[in-house]
Every structure is written in C-alpha cells, then in structure tokens.
Amino acid sequence: MTSIGGTEMVDWNLAVATATRFVRPGPEVSRDEARAIVAELRRHAKSSEAHVRAFTRMAQPDATGELPHDTPVLVVDRPGWIKANVAGFRAVLKPLLAKMEDRRSTVPGGAVLGAVGGKVTGVELGMLLSFLASRVLGQYETFAPASRDLPAAAQGGRLLLVAPNIVHVERELDVEPHDFRLWVCLHEETHRTQFTAVPWLRDHIEGEIQSFLGETDIDPGTLLERLREAAQSLAGAKPEGEEGDDGGRSIVDLVQTPAQREILGRLTAVMSLLEGHADYVMDGVGPDVVPSVAEIREKFQKRRASGAGRLDQALRKLLGLDAKLRQYRDGERFVRSVVEEVGMDGFNRVWTSPNTLPTKQEIAKPADWIARVHRKADGAP
C-alpha cells in the first residue's frame, strides 16, 4: 500500500466500504426474478460469442469449436462492480502512487495529503465509485487481477454484466427486456472479442497507460483537490471557483506535458476505435437477433446524450465522461465509414499491429486511414 508521511495515500478497503454503503439500491425484483435474469444474461453472453464472431470475422474457433480464450463472464451487482474496479484501479495506478510517494517530502501538497491521510481519500474515491456503480451496464476489465470472489483470465481480463443496472435501464426506457439484455451483451462481447482475438492489444494499451503514468508529474495536493471537487459535486455543492455550467475542470486536465498529450491522443484514438466498433457491431448484429433494436437504439441514444440532470452532467464533465460519449460517436462513425468503403475484411486490417491503429486525426478522417493502411499494404505509391 502506497503511503505518504507514514499514512496510506489511498485506503482501498475504505473506498470499497464507502462506495458500497452509498451506492443506490437496485430495482426491486423477487429472488426468483433475480435468478432468472442472471441465468438469461449468462445465456445471452454465451450466444453473443457466435453472433459477434460471425459478424466481425475476427475470432475463429479452435478444433473443439470453442473460442480461444478463458475469459470469465461474471454477472454482478453494484457492490460486485465496485470491488472489481477498485482492484483494477489499485493495480493500474500502483506505479503512479509509488512515484508520488517518492516525492512526498519535496512536492507542495504532499504534507497536506499526508496529514489528511488515506482514509479521507478513500472516502472521496468511494463516493465517486458509488455514483458510477449505478450507471455501468457492462464492462470488459482488461487488467483485472484475479481474486477468490472475482476470477479473471490467466493474463488478466474478465467480462462484467451489472444486472441491477441493466434491469433499471430497460425499465426506464420501457423496452422489451429480453431484447435489451441481448443487445447489451452483444456490445460487451465485442470488447471481449477485441482483446482475445488480437493478442497484442492488451499489452499495447497497458504500455501506453504506463508510459502516460510515467510522464505524470502531479503534486498530491492537486490530485486531492480534484477528488474533493468531484465529491462536492456528488454532494450537490458547487466546486469553489466554478462560475457556470462550463466552469468545471475534468480530472483529465491533470495532463501536463507534451509527451502526455501525445500519449493521451493515441489512447483516445484506440478507445474511440474499440467503443465505436462495439456500437457498430451491436447494431449490425441487432436486426437479425434483436427484433426491437431500432427502438432500443433510439431511446438509449437519447438517454446517453441527455444524462439524468444537472448533477449528473456536472459529474460527467468532471470525470471526463463527456469525452467517452464522443468516443462512441466518433469511433462508430469511423468504423462505419471504413466498412462501407473497404468492407469488413478491409476494416480488420486495423488489428494487424499497433502501426495500423488509427490516429486521433484519422478517427475524424477515415479516408486518411484507408489511404495510409491500404495503400501501404497493397503496394500503391
């Protein structure tokens, strides 16, 4: 556990306890309903493998007819999602926290964070997770460490489906539940296929993240300030110095150096690709297996764009979630444009190597990616 001034910098156990305590209760369902929902989600996750594989032409079955991966699918509640994500944060952020510990005696704000201690930081992180835990429908955890309660693949990775949130949204949108559950599973299965069918992708993204963290030069006081701003927003208090709806700062604003901005640009491009590809696939497969897909997509897009109110919008901005929404839109547009121009097999050249991934500029201009990758591969001048 990383510490500053002899005090834990982040009390991870307290973060879990706080998030679990303050997370909203899920929708009311009977015990029999809950069992049936969990069983159905597992069936949909399994059936989605074949649908996604056939549509994307990415992962091919082995001699036994099974996909070549051992990534578990876990249907979890909101506390289960919290525990899984805290474990992931702890693993990914370990190098950054170790670096901040090394600087604790010289960085302005280090003494403040040491005095306040990891318990306050754990509470603030827990409050943020309690907000997010009621909004995530599913998640492919790329860097998930295995635990007794939450298994993961040998090289990391597991697929989470958050049952209470799926039920909540399907009721809120008033859509056909069985169709909606399969539609969500198609999106998340696409993410699992991306990482299991493209062996180098996980290591590439992990390398980029660690390079980004290695360039990070954040004083602990600033990090604590951003967490406190987020917690104040969650409590309904306006962060000090925010003059209007556009005055808030994103945690992403911690980016400081040109090298970081360059790395973040590459990460933004690849995440736009992955999210947009998943959206494209779920809608491409949808008409054949999800009868009400058009209605689901229309209602879901409106919900995704509008948020749940002013507090929700403020937190989305602070946490950088608005940028994630743009990733869905821009990435889906890129994938659709490329497939229309060169077909699915032509698009799949994107998975050849890190060099064939689109740049941030190419996400916005798919024709530039086609010209670069296809012209080079086909030997054109």
Side-chain angles (χ1 to χ4, degrees), residues 273-335:
L273 170 69
L274 298 180
E275 296 293 359
H277 184 236
D279 265 14
Y280 179 82
V281 171
M282 72 195 295
D283 287 342
V285 174
D288 292 331
V289 298
V290 183
S292 59
V293 64
E295 177 191 2
I296 291 173
R297 166 56 72 186
E298 180 182 1
K299 290 182 175 180
F300 191 77
Q301 286 285 64
K302 289 180 179 178
R303 180 185 185 275
R304 177 189 275 176
S306 64
R310 181 170 180 176
L311 174 59
D312 184 80
Q313 291 170 359
L315 266 169
R316 285 190 344 190
K317 180 172 183 178
L318 182 62
L319 297 173
L321 299 182
D322 281 345
K324 186 173 179 66
L325 296 181
R326 289 193 295 272
Q327 289 174 4
Y328 284 104
R329 294 193 299 266
D330 296 345
E332 193 277 337
R333 191 181 305 116
F334 170 85
V335 175

Side-chain angles (χ1 to χ4, degrees), residues 334 337-338 341-342 346-347 349 355-359 361-363 365-381:
F334 170 85
S337 298
V338 172
E341 184 68 24
V342 298
F347 165 78
R349 290 186 182 180
N355 292 330
T356 57
L357 290 172
T359 65
Q361 292 72 28
E362 288 171 341
I363 287 287
K365 296 182 177 180
D368 290 353
W369 179 87
I370 294 172
R372 176 174 67 87
V373 172
H374 282 262
R375 181 175 60 211
K376 181 177 180 180
D378 297 338

